[in-house]
């Protein structure tokens, strides 16, 4: 069973002005589609991956070739990314247990600042993350390329609660080289209800 490109959960222009329609079209229809197709090539070439979920594949990524690592990461990361952003009716604010964890971290302003610093400081392409584990504590991390915190050899392992794509293809059409400006603006389109659901599922 091949992996399929998941549809965007909103219209291409639903995140404007933070992320414009043209960026979303290329990012989903070209970039995410390419990661999906290449992941399927890698899975088809390796019988031991047959029937495995993407999370199972990421959990054994250290034993797999770069084709599966880069495109399996790209496949999962973008599916996650679309879902933790929302159209104007699906944004809200932190609530419930996630809001308490953010307070314990030092507050939302500190979380944003640390996350934006990680994202701006990631040399080259990569991702910034907010992760947690069964302790419920929040941690900010970054990964290079299409790596993520679910990989068995990740430096900072955990369950992603939020993540932002800092590859130039995610922001260059609007923000050009201003990655910090993109990181700052991105918080306007976070789907806090979805982040809260993922937090609740992670901490049990
Ligand atoms: Mn991307």
């Amino acid at each position: 069973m091949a992996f399929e490109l998941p549809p965007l959960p909103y219209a291409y222009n639903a995140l404007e002005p933070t992320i414009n329609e043209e960026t979303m079209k290329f990012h989903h229809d070209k970039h995410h589609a390419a990661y999906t197709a290449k992941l399927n090539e890698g899975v088809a070439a390796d019988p031991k991956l047959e029937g495995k979920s993407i999370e199972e594949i990421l959990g054994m990524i250290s034993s797999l070739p770069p084709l599966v690592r880069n495109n399996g990461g790209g496949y999962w990361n973008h599916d996650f990314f679309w879902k933790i952003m929302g159209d104007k009716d699906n944004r809200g604010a932190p609530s419930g247990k996630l809001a308490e964890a953010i307070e314990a971290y030092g507050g939302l302003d500190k979380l944003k600042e640390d996350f934006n610093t990680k994202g701006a400081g990631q040399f080259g392409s990569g991702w910034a993350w907010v992760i947690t584990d069964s302790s419920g504590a929040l941690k900010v991390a970054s990964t290079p390329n299409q790596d993520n915190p679910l990989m068995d050899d990740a430096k900072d392992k955990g369950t992603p609660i939020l993540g932002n794509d800092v590859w130039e293809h995610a922001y260059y059409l609007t923000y050009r080289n201003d990655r910090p400006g993109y990181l700052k603006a991105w918080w306007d389109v976070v789907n806090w209800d979805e982040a809260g659901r993922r937090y609740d599922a992670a901490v049990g």
Side-chain angles (χ1 to χ4, degrees):
M1 178 71 185
F3 291 100
E4 287 179 15
L5 176 65
L8 279 183
Y10 33 69
Y12 292 112
N13 64 0
L15 305 181
E16 290 194 344
T18 307
I19 304 178
N20 75 1
E21 179 171 358
E22 187 182 16
T23 298
M24 292 301 288
K25 277 187 174 161
F26 274 85
H27 204 172
H28 178 269
D29 295 4
K30 303 296 183 189
H31 293 280
H32 197 187
Y35 296 126
T36 305
K38 292 277 186 188
L39 168 63
N40 284 327
E41 280 177 30
V43 169
D46 187 344
K48 76 173 177 293
L49 298 181
E50 194 183 324
K52 289 217 178 332
S53 70
I54 187 60
E55 288 81 8
E56 287 171 326
I57 291 172
L58 296 173
M60 57 189 282
I61 209 75
S62 61
S63 66
L64 299 172
L67 176 71
V68 177
R69 180 185 199 95
N70 293 332
N71 295 289
Y75 176 80
W76 190 92
N77 291 349
H78 289 84
D79 182 40
F80 172 77
F81 185 53
W82 311 137
K83 288 173 178 160
I84 53 94
M85 299 187 288
D87 61 26
K88 63 179 173 46
D89 297 324
N90 291 284
R91 291 175 188 169
S95 61
K97 286 190 209 166
L98 176 57
E100 291 168 19
I102 290 171
E103 283 312 305
Y105 181 87
L108 185 56
D109 287 346
K110 178 170 166 52
L111 185 74
K112 287 182 179 180
E113 187 184 325
D114 290 353
F115 180 96
N116 293 354
T117 299
K118 278 281 183 193
Q122 173 60 46
F123 183 76
S125 297
W127 290 74
W129 305 97
V130 175
I131 60 175
T132 193
D133 55 29
S134 56
S135 76
L138 299 178
K139 185 173 182 180
V140 167
S142 64
T143 54
N145 306 313
Q146 295 294 354
D147 285 7
N148 70 40
L150 298 174
M151 292 182 169
D152 61 338
D153 56 1
K155 180 164 60 77
D156 295 300
K157 279 212 269 190
T159 303
I161 306 302
L162 293 172
N164 194 357
D165 187 342
V166 299
W167 285 57
E168 284 188 345
H169 67 225
Y171 61 86
Y172 205 83
L173 295 179
T174 299
Y175 299 86
R176 298 303 174 184
N177 63 322
D178 183 16
R179 188 192 287 186
Y182 161 67
L183 281 155
K184 191 160 176 255
W186 177 79
W187 292 94
D188 289 346
V189 295
V190 167
N191 181 338
W192 284 106
D193 289 342
E194 178 64 19
R197 278 192 289 277
R198 287 172 185 264
Y199 181 80
D200 291 347
V203 303

